[in-house]
Amino acid sequence: MSDIHWYPGHMTRAVREMKEDIKLIDIMIEIIDARIPVSSRNPDIDSMAQNKSRIIILNKSDLADEAATTAWMEKFTADGMIAVKTNAKNGSGLKVMKEAIAKASEAKIARDRKRGILNRPVRAMVAGIPNVGKSTFINAYAGRAVAKTGNKPGVTRGKQWIKLNKTVELLDTPGILWPRFDDRTTARHLAYIGSMKNEVINTRELACEFIKEIGQDYPDMLLKVYGFESEIKGEVNGIEAAFLNELALKRGMLLKGGEPDIDKAAALLLDDFKNGRLGKITLEKV
Ligand code: G4P
C-alpha cells in the first residue's frame, strides 16, 4: 500500500498544526510505546524538533520487558535525550518526569538569563503516534489540580497551556504523529499493539506472524500462558495455525458446524498480548 493511504487529510492538517505548535515550545516530550520503541516513533520528529530539549517517554512500561526498557533508555540517553519510563495509567514514573522537565528546562532558562530575561515560562508539548498514551499521560501528569492559563497573545487562538509549576507550561493538546509503514515489520508491530485498524490486516495471518515472532524471543511464553504448545508440524499453514486451531478447540470456540473458530482464537491471542496477559513483552530490542 502506498504511503499516501496513510496520510489522509486530517493527518496533513495535524502535522501542519504540530509544526506551528513546535515554534512555541522549548521542550519536546515524545511518547512512545515501550513494547515497540522503533515502530512507535516517527523519525520526522527529529527534524521537526531540532534545537528543542528532548524528553522521550517509554510509556506502557508495565507491559514491556524491563531489561529491554532499560537498554532502550540507555540508548536514547546516549542519543542526547532525557529518557523516562512511565505507566501513565497508574501514574508510575510521573515523579521522575518532574526532574526530567526541570533538567530539560535548564538550557532555556540559562539562555534567557544571559539575555537578561527572567521568569519567562518554559513551554513543552507532548507528541506521539496514536494510542501510545498521550492523553492519558497529560491527564495523569497535568490534568488534575492545575489551572489552565488561558489564551495569551502570540498563541494561536484556542491553545491552552497547563501550568505545571512556576516555570513550566504544557500545551494541553498533544501533537499527533503518523506512524511510518516503511516495512512490513513496522506495520505488523503497530497492528499487534492496536495502533493500526484491524480491518487493514487479516487477524489470522497477524496472529500467526505474532506466534512466530514471540517464539524467537520468548520461546516458553505460550506454553506458560495457555498450558500447551502445538507440536503438529507440516500443516498447510504451519505450526502457528495449528496452535490457533488447538486454542480454539481448548477454549470451546466453535463454528456452527463444530469446526474450530480460528479467527476467534486469533483475536483472543492478540487481545491477550495487547492487555498484557501474555506477560511483559518487548518486540523490538536495541
Ligand atoms: P493517545 O492519546 O496517545 O491516543 O492514547 P490514550 O491516552 O488514549 O491511550 C490509549 C490507551 O492506552 C488507553 O486505553 C489507555 O488507558 C492506555 N494506556 C495509556 N497509558 C498506558 C500505560 O502506561 N499502560 C497501560 N497498560 N495502558 C496505558 P483505552 O482507551 O482504555 O483503550 P483499551 O485499554 O480499551 O484498549
Side-chain angles (χ1 to χ4, degrees):
M1 220 169 279
S2 76
D3 269 348
I4 209 83
H5 261 97
W6 303 106
Y7 235 84
H10 70 280
M11 286 313 305
T12 312
R13 215 160 34 244
V15 168
R16 200 168 50 225
E17 265 171 36
M18 197 175 142
K19 282 184 174 158
E20 286 304 309
D21 289 344
I22 286 177
K23 290 180 191 158
L24 308 171
I25 58 136
D26 310 293
I27 304 172
M28 170 57 81
I29 303 171
E30 179 187 0
I31 302 195
I32 63 171
D33 188 310
R35 294 167 295 174
I36 52 167
V38 179
S39 300
S40 62
R41 294 195 74 197
N42 179 325
D44 292 343
I45 197 165
D46 285 335
S47 52
M48 281 164 108
Q50 252 174 10
N51 309 320
K52 308 288 174 188
S53 286
R54 300 283 297 274
I55 296 175
I56 189 158
I57 296 183
L58 291 93
N59 192 40
K60 307 202 184 184
S61 60
D62 52 310
L63 303 174
D65 190 325
E66 266 174 58
T69 300
T70 303
W72 276 111
M73 286 175 65
E74 283 165 7
K75 160 90 171 74
F76 290 129
T77 306
D79 290 346
M81 291 185 260
I82 299 169
V84 179
K85 61 172 177 182
T86 55
N87 170 352
K89 215 168 172 173
N90 80 356
S92 85
L94 296 183
K95 270 199 196 125
V96 184
M97 261 318 283
K98 221 172 154 177
E99 289 162 36
I101 289 191
K103 199 164 162 216
S105 309
E106 280 168 8
K108 148 89 174 161
I109 291 172
R111 259 197 325 270
D112 277 357
R113 198 166 287 155
K114 252 192 190 158
R115 294 189 203 139
I117 304 164
L118 293 177
N119 304 325
R120 189 156 72 179
V122 176
R123 285 181 159 171
M125 81 178 282
V126 164
I129 66 165
N131 211 37
V132 289
K134 297 179 296 299
S135 312
T136 310
F137 173 82
I138 292 178
N139 286 335
Y141 188 61
R144 292 185 227 109
V146 281
K148 288 181 178 177
T149 59
N151 295 332
K152 285 186 177 172
V155 174
T156 313
R157 202 145 49 143
K159 291 241 176 307
Q160 300 274 318
W161 296 90
I162 305 166
K163 230 173 156 48
L164 293 180
N165 57 42
K166 258 160 71 183
T167 46
V168 185
E169 292 178 357
L170 179 73
L171 190 61
D172 78 335
T173 42
I176 302 170
L177 294 160
W178 205 232
R180 288 269 286 257
F181 294 96
D182 292 349
D183 57 75
R184 287 175 53 85
T185 308
T186 303
R188 225 172 41 233
H189 287 182
L190 288 163
Y192 295 158
I193 67 157
S195 258
M196 206 163 103
K197 287 209 176 83
N198 259 354
E199 57 262 32
V200 185
I201 282 183
N202 179 313
T203 308
R204 197 187 292 204
E205 271 173 37
L206 191 68
C208 285
E209 297 271 12
F210 177 77
I211 294 168
K212 214 182 283 172
E213 214 171 316
I214 61 158
Q216 284 158 13
D217 279 352
Y218 305 92
D220 303 330
M221 190 153 277
L222 294 180
L223 178 63
K224 261 197 308 211
V225 176
Y226 297 108
F228 73 94
E229 220 171 15
S230 193
E231 304 288 348
I232 316 159
K233 295 208 166 79
E235 291 264 317
V236 180
N237 292 317
I239 191 168
E240 296 82 18
F243 179 87
L244 293 177
N245 197 65
E246 220 166 314
L247 182 60
L249 291 173
K250 284 214 154 71
R251 295 288 174 101
M253 297 171 158
L254 303 175
L255 295 166
K256 277 216 180 91
E259 291 286 302
D261 190 339
I262 310 279
D263 289 328
K264 209 166 172 184
L268 170 81
L269 175 69
L270 293 171
D271 214 50
D272 281 351
F273 166 68
K274 248 179 255 170
N275 295 311
R277 284 190 287 268
L278 299 186
K280 294 171 185 286
I281 297 175
T282 300
L283 294 163
E284 295 165 355
K285 304 283 162 55
V286 174

